[in-house]
Every structure is written in C-alpha cells, then in structure tokens.
Amino acid sequence: MTTATTVPPTSTAPTRRVAWASMVGTSLESFDFYVFAYFSAYFIGPLFFDPLGPVGSTLAAFSTIAVAFVVRPIGAVIFGHMGDRLGRRATLLWTVGIMGVATGLIGLLPTFGQAAWLGAVLLVLLRVVQGLSLGGEWGGSILLATEHSGRVSRAFYAAIPQLGSPAGSTLSATVFLVMAATMPAEALASWGWRIPFLLAIPLLAVSLYLRWSIDETPVFRRVVTEGRRDRMPVATVFRQRPIALIVAIGAALLGIGSYSLMNTYTINYGVAHLGFAFQDLLIATTIGALLQFITIPLFGAWASRRSSARVVLWGALGTLLITFPMYWMLQFATFPILVGTMIIGGILPTMSWAALGGLMDDLFPDHFRYSALSIAYAIAATISGFIPLITLALGDATGFAWWHPGIVLAILSAITLVAAWVAHRNSPWIRQDEGQLRAVGAASDTAPNG
C-alpha cells in the first residue's frame, strides 16, 4: 500500500497568475485557429495554391485547416505522455513555444509566386506542427489552473482557460475587421495577410513569461514524491478508464462543435443563403464572444457551487431546447435577430464549455490525467473539425432548409447531455475508485523514480 505523504507546498505564484498563464496559451490556440480560418479562403488559397484554380486552391486552403485537426490526437499522445512524466509546466512551455513559433513562421513563408510549391509544402508542415502542439495545450492548461487551486475553487479555475476561446476569436476578428477597413485589397493580398500571423510572436512572449514564472503544480509534485508516475500513461488511460474517456469525449462535443458550427459554418451559410453581409456576421459573432468574458467566469463559479457535470448537463439541455427556434428566427435575416441569435445560441453552449474542464478533471486520477484530458479533447476537436463539412452536406441534401443546422446542433447537444448525466451519476464512484487505485500500489502500473 502506498504510504501517504505530505503534499508539497503550493506555488509561490498567486492562483490568479497561474490562471492567467493557463488562459494565454489557449488564447493563442484560438487566435491561430480563427486567423487561419478567416484568412485562408481569401488569401491562403490564391497565394500558395494558385495553379489549382479558384475552386482547387480554396479546397487546398481548407484542407490545411483540416490537417491540424487530424494530427491533433497524435500530439495529445505525445504531450500527454510528457505532461504525466515530465510535468505540466515543462510540457506547456514546449506546446506554447512550438505553437507560437509555427504560427509566426507562416507569416514569413514565400508565396507560390516567390518560390513555386516550396511555400505550400512548408505551410502544410507548419500546420502539422501546430496541430501536434495543440494536442497537448488544452489539457495542460486546465491542469495548470486546477492543480494550483483548492478543491472548492477548482471548478471555477477550470473555467478560466476557457476564456482563451473568446479571447482568441475576438482578437482575430478585430484584426481582420481593422485590416479590411484600413488597408487596400492589393496591400492585404501583397503583404498585409502576414501581419496576423506575426502577431503570434508577442502573444508567445507573454505566454512564455507567465508560464516560466510559475512553479510545477503541487499535484504533480506529489505524484513524483509518491513514485506514482506511469511508464506509459496513455496505455493506462485506455486500460483503466475507457468508459470515462468516452464520456469525456461526449461531454466535450457540444462546447467545441457548437463553436465550429456557429462561427465557421453559420458565417458561410449566412452569406451564401441568408443574405447577410460578411462584416455583419463577423460583428455578431464577436459580440457573442465578448459576452463570454462575463458568462464563462459566472458559469465556472456556478460549477464550484453545484458541480461541473450538472452545469454541462444544463447547458446541453438548454441548447437542445432552443436549437430549432433559434435557426427558424435566423432565416428572417435582420441584423438585430442575427445578434440575438448569436447571443442566445452562445450562452447555453457556453455553459457546457465553461464547466468542461472541471467535469474532465473529475473523471481521471492525477497520475495519468494530462494524457486523459488531452486525448479526450483532441478526439472531440477532430470530430468537430468535420462539423462544417457535415452540415454543408446535410444542407445540400435538404435544399438548405432552415432547420438543417439545427439537426447537427441538436445531435451534439443530445450526446453531451447523455455524457454529462453519466459523469454526474458516476462522479462519486470515480472519486472513490481513484482512492482505491492509489492504495493498490505501483506494482504494474507505475514506475518509481530513483
């Protein structure tokens, strides 16, 4: 039986500073995603894949978005292993460093006109690197925040990294709107498109400074002290928590998938079929993102008082109830209705998004938690990466009936609803089982240090 040891002293850095350090990395992740999404259709295709023609170059540009999603689970395995073996802080320095450098390098790539296909090849390679690094970023950010906080406030601090999503999307949308309003189209196509990618460098500097200035989490130091690190934490996840992993993936689908649906597909659908101006859609989504700066901390505090699984469940249930009325209203194509739709359609999925980190943190023991969170989130994100394509296919099959996006959002809501219910019903058993696992010892699953 493992002998209990005294928990090492907590970090000298205030918990709020740790939360900021965790949030900045997720902000850089979100900024990268939306900058590339906003600029790919307009600039990446013509600049790097011009010989493929208008349609071919656009498809190639969108494929570079997809490749980062496809490789993300591989990054989750790599950096999840590092996070459970080497530590949360060290791994997050690597992930944010790789991500920021890769994003900045995209802004320096030669176009097809300058170096033929060399720029396109390097672009794909950098997107692969970004996808790998993103696979380990979210789970580590959640653990950095929660493992420096107390049990009572854990669910609240698990919500703070989720602010990175609206922060990144707001910043990227603002950059796009400002540049479109102040720069001629020729300048944007010539050199202006590089600016958003180069902005990742100062974001990286801030994130590295914040993460370098904090200590390793007390939870991981306790795992090391007790000699409970797994030789292969990823294998332990699938061996000891396969059902919990499925539950975690299902719980994440609404929070991630609704963002892909509302902020990626709906923008294209609104312009092509509902008659909205692109700028109006971008402004409406930005308003919805700004509101999340208020709602995410509030839902995080609510999760601390109730439970993370309950908040995820209520968010999924609420989204399921308003899905079809929301998309029915959207067809009337007025700007106030558009803003209202983005606000209402954003608040309820945000409940599930804000409490997601706390729910996942409850599902897994500390000695392979980094791997478990990273893998679950990466798989959910990879699935969500195909949601715009699936919704487009459904729209084409139904003649773009007003309710076709609602079908997709309703399915996401139902899956997350069931997963959150299972997590809520089993969370006491999971906590008890974690204690039993610690008592069993390290005979076959853990490797002592020495």
Side-chain angles (χ1 to χ4, degrees):
M1 180 176 292
T2 304
T3 304
T5 60
T6 304
V7 178
T10 58
S11 170
T12 56
T15 305
R16 290 182 181 177
R17 186 175 184 179
V18 173
W20 275 108
S22 65
M23 190 201 79
V24 170
T26 56
S27 300
L28 184 56
E29 171 189 358
S30 180
F31 177 78
D32 160 70
F33 174 80
Y34 284 106
V35 160
F36 202 88
Y38 290 149
F39 282 80
S40 61
Y42 295 95
F43 303 107
I44 300 301
L47 288 172
F48 292 93
F49 303 99
D50 184 62
L52 300 179
V55 176
S57 62
T58 300
L59 288 174
F62 286 160
S63 296
T64 59
I65 296 177
V67 71
F69 281 102
V70 172
V71 302
R72 188 177 289 200
I74 301 174
V77 171
I78 295 170
F79 291 107
H81 180 88
M82 290 176 59
D84 286 322
R85 291 292 302 169
L86 304 180
R88 285 55 160 136
R89 174 181 174 271
T91 303
L92 284 173
L93 286 170
W94 276 103
T95 59
V96 76
I98 293 171
M99 177 169 49
V101 170
T103 304
L105 286 176
I106 291 177
L108 299 175
L109 289 179
T111 63
F112 185 87
Q114 295 169 329
W117 289 108
L118 176 62
V121 172
L122 293 175
L123 175 65
V124 173
L125 289 176
L126 288 174
R127 289 296 293 169
V128 169
V129 170
Q130 286 177 321
L132 292 174
S133 67
L134 293 178
E137 173 62 34
W138 184 85
S141 295
I142 294 295
L143 296 185
L144 194 69
T146 60
E147 293 183 354
H148 274 283
S149 60
R151 183 69 188 177
V152 174
S153 60
R154 179 191 52 78
F156 171 76
Y157 282 105
I160 298 303
Q162 307 296 64
L163 287 169
S165 182
S169 63
T170 300
L171 179 58
S172 56
T174 301
V175 169
F176 188 93
L177 289 170
V178 170
M179 292 181 63
T182 59
M183 295 184 66
E186 296 79 9
L188 269 175
S190 176
W191 57 270
W193 64 272
R194 300 180 184 274
I195 295 175
F197 297 101
L198 296 175
L199 285 176
I201 300 301
L203 274 175
L204 169 63
V206 173
S207 186
L208 284 175
Y209 169 75
L210 287 172
R211 289 182 175 181
W212 191 270
S213 63
I214 61 176
D215 296 332
E216 181 56 79
T217 72
V219 172
F220 180 75
R221 285 186 286 152
R222 181 178 62 208
V223 170
V224 174
T225 301
E226 296 175 356
R228 292 189 291 108
R229 284 184 290 181
D230 293 86
R231 287 190 176 91
M232 294 296 295
V234 173
T236 307
V237 173
F238 288 96
R239 184 171 64 251
Q240 294 188 0
R241 287 291 193 277
I243 302 302
L245 186 65
I246 295 172
V247 169
I249 294 168
L253 279 177
L254 177 60
I256 307 173
S258 64
Y259 227 71
S260 294
L261 181 65
M262 298 290 289
N263 288 44
T264 302
Y265 176 78
T266 301
I267 288 180
N268 178 271
Y269 170 64
V271 172
H273 299 279
L274 299 181
F276 287 108
F278 177 79
Q279 284 79 5
D280 287 347
L281 284 157
L282 204 55
I283 291 170
T285 56
T286 302
I287 291 172
L290 289 172
L291 186 64
Q292 288 184 306
F293 288 106
I294 300 173
T295 56
I296 286 177
L298 289 177
F299 292 143
W302 194 13
S304 290
R305 295 180 59 186
R306 306 294 291 176
S307 80
S308 296
R310 282 186 178 181
V311 175
V312 173
L313 187 152
W314 290 332
L317 178 60
T319 304
L320 185 61
L321 293 176
I322 61 95
T323 291
F324 291 104
M326 179 181 68
Y327 277 104
W328 180 77
M329 290 289 291
L330 193 60
Q331 67 180 321
F332 293 102
T334 66
F335 185 68
I337 288 178
L338 175 63
V339 173
T341 298
M342 290 299 179
I343 291 175
I344 296 172
I347 287 178
L348 291 167
T350 297
M351 291 178 64
S352 296
W353 172 248
L356 176 62
L359 180 150
M360 285 197 187
D361 193 76
D362 278 340
L363 288 174
F364 304 100
D366 50 14
H367 56 98
F368 57 82
R369 191 176 286 152
Y370 200 125
S371 295
L373 265 65
S374 297
I375 292 169
Y377 186 86
I379 293 174
T382 301
I383 295 171
S384 299
F386 291 94
I387 283 176
L389 181 62
I390 293 170
T391 311
L392 177 62
L394 181 60
D396 184 60
T398 60
F400 291 95
W402 65 265
W403 42 263
H404 79 275
I407 294 291
V408 177
L409 188 57
I411 292 173
L412 294 174
S413 301
I415 293 172
T416 295
L417 176 64
V418 172
W421 179 81
V422 173
H424 172 64
R425 296 288 294 178
N426 286 278
S427 56
W429 173 84
I430 289 168
R431 286 195 294 269
Q432 180 183 6
D433 186 54
E434 178 179 342
Q436 292 172 350
L437 283 172
R438 290 182 181 181
V440 167
S444 61
D445 296 325
T446 57
N449 294 278

